[in-house]
Amino acid sequence: MFASLRNTIPRQFSRAYSTGAPAGGKNGNGVLWASLATGAVLVGAYYYTRSKEGQDSPLTGASNGPVTKALDPKKFVAFKLMESTPINHDTAHFRFALEPNQELGLDITSCFVVKAKIGDDEKPTIRPYTPVSPQDARGYFDLVIKRYPNGKMSSHIHSLVPGDVLEIKGPIPKYPYKAGALKEVGMIAGGSGITPMLQLIQHVLEDPKDNTKLTLVFANRSEDDIILRSKLDTFAKEHPDQFKVHYVVDKASSKDWNGDVGYVTKELVKKYMPAANAEGVLVGVCGPPPMMSLISGPKAPDYSQGEVSGILKELGYTSQQVFKF
């Protein structure tokens, strides 16, 4: 099941401002890591499939009791690593265990924070992460994490082996998304900044009542650095009238590359993002600090949204139309 991930989640993005070509029904089936056609996924000894009503139906091995939420917003909870799968030299997929009839309990457009005491540090290190598993996945949740050379937490998580635990608290709310409240959402992501965007894309496309149009510009250093490309392409193919994805890379490594090459420029944003003078639009941005500074401006020192600056301000977007993940 994870073999395909090794081919679809390669090296992470390192330069912040580079950018691909458009990719192109809505169905009620859940899209999980395995079996996009049936919505079914094998989780340990538990096999689930998504019903027409959008709920996971246990086929075998699962309890028929009530679904519980695993996260606690007031305290850290320890979650056990089930397995880790290397994707490339610095990125890996991590699956953590939940109870068979338990969901993580993460709201859409929210994240959680992880805590670990690393080395001889007196204080624990705390970092935010966004899982890539579906919101209603039961029995597990997934993280895709790049190990940075000086990243304490990313290096710590990469050092975990099955049976080790990670302390997590959440959810930490971000944008209060409501189905139908917006007509169009534009997203600009760089490298691992794709994870909150994927969370929103997956949620919207799985809701047959949500017709919000979605457009993603995904910037990476090279074609091989495009994380979750096959998943995004599948979404675009299955929902051509609702979701478009455009990839951008610093340098094209293949003569067959038909996406954009270079930086995420004002012209590129104007070309792909919903217009600032349109009604019911939002542009979400997530990526490394240099990219954020260029596109939207950074968050404020207190981690609030802060003022909009950069390319989006130049194009006339207001603070009500921009969200920095």
Side-chain angles (χ1 to χ4, degrees):
M1 148 178 180
F2 291 118
S4 62
L5 289 173
R6 294 190 183 96
N7 299 322
T8 61
I9 316 178
R11 289 192 311 275
Q12 292 265 1
F13 171 120
S14 64
R15 273 178 70 185
Y17 6 87
S18 322
T19 74
K26 193 164 193 99
N27 59 51
N29 291 334
V31 182
L32 304 179
W33 285 109
S35 187
L36 293 175
T38 63
V41 60
L42 180 64
V43 182
Y46 303 93
Y47 191 79
Y48 299 100
T49 184
R50 182 70 56 80
S51 71
K52 293 181 180 180
E53 290 72 29
Q55 300 299 318
D56 286 332
S57 301
L59 297 184
T60 180
S63 167
N64 291 322
V67 177
T68 60
K69 307 295 183 182
L71 285 174
D72 190 324
K74 297 182 179 180
K75 66 179 182 181
F76 283 90
V77 177
F79 294 92
K80 184 178 294 185
L81 179 66
M82 295 170 63
E83 57 185 340
S84 62
T85 305
I87 295 165
N88 57 33
H89 69 285
D90 64 4
T91 306
H93 177 278
F94 299 87
R95 172 156 290 185
F96 290 86
L98 302 176
E99 295 298 322
N101 226 37
Q102 191 175 53
E103 297 175 356
L104 183 59
L106 196 74
D107 302 324
I108 285 304
T109 65
S110 65
C111 66
F112 53 55
V113 292
V114 303
K115 179 179 72 171
K117 192 174 184 302
I118 300 171
D120 297 327
D121 291 350
E122 294 183 4
K123 296 182 179 180
T125 298
I126 298 176
R127 295 287 187 272
Y129 286 98
T130 304
V132 297
S133 44
Q135 183 188 21
D136 56 358
R138 297 182 193 173
Y140 75 100
F141 68 90
D142 296 327
L143 292 172
V144 171
I145 297 176
K146 173 185 173 69
R147 182 179 62 245
Y148 292 92
N150 298 316
K152 284 186 177 182
M153 184 60 75
S154 64
S155 296
H156 171 72
I157 296 175
H158 272 255
S159 73
L160 299 179
V161 297
D164 288 345
V165 298
L166 191 64
E167 292 189 88
I168 299 176
K169 182 171 71 172
I172 310 299
K174 292 184 178 180
Y175 183 80
Y177 180 82
K178 293 182 179 180
L182 297 166
K183 293 182 179 179
E184 187 169 0
V185 176
M187 294 162 279
I188 304 172
S192 57
I194 189 62
T195 54
M197 308 306 187
L198 177 63
Q199 184 191 64
L200 178 60
I201 292 165
Q202 189 165 246
H203 177 75
V204 172
L205 297 182
E206 287 180 354
D207 184 352
K209 297 180 181 179
D210 193 342
N211 296 312
T212 306
K213 292 188 178 298
L214 306 171
T215 304
L216 170 67
V217 168
F218 190 14
N220 286 275
R221 183 175 57 184
S222 71
E223 297 170 58
D224 290 338
D225 294 307
I226 301 174
I227 302 171
L228 299 166
R229 183 177 180 180
S230 96
K231 192 174 185 72
L232 293 168
D233 287 345
T234 297
F235 283 145
K237 183 178 180 180
E238 293 181 346
H239 307 270
D241 298 326
Q242 190 174 10
F243 174 58
K244 308 291 183 183
V245 58
H246 308 277
Y247 301 110
V248 188
V249 297
D250 277 7
K251 295 180 179 180
S253 56
S254 167
K255 62 181 180 181
D256 297 325
W257 177 253
N258 59 357
D260 290 282
V261 178
Y263 298 158
V264 178
T265 62
K266 182 191 294 187
E267 291 72 27
L268 196 77
V269 174
K270 187 174 182 180
K271 179 180 179 180
Y272 293 131
M273 292 294 99
N277 60 2
E279 294 184 5
V281 303
L282 178 78
V283 176
V285 188
C286 189
M291 177 182 178
M292 299 294 291
S293 295
L294 178 73
I295 303 298
S296 62
K299 288 186 178 181
D302 64 356
Y303 298 102
S304 62
Q305 287 290 295
E307 295 296 323
V308 174
S309 61
I311 289 174
L312 292 179
K313 182 177 181 180
E314 294 173 14
L315 290 175
Y317 294 90
T318 68
S319 58
Q320 287 74 38
Q321 294 175 306
V322 176
F323 191 83
K324 306 168 190 177
F325 284 92

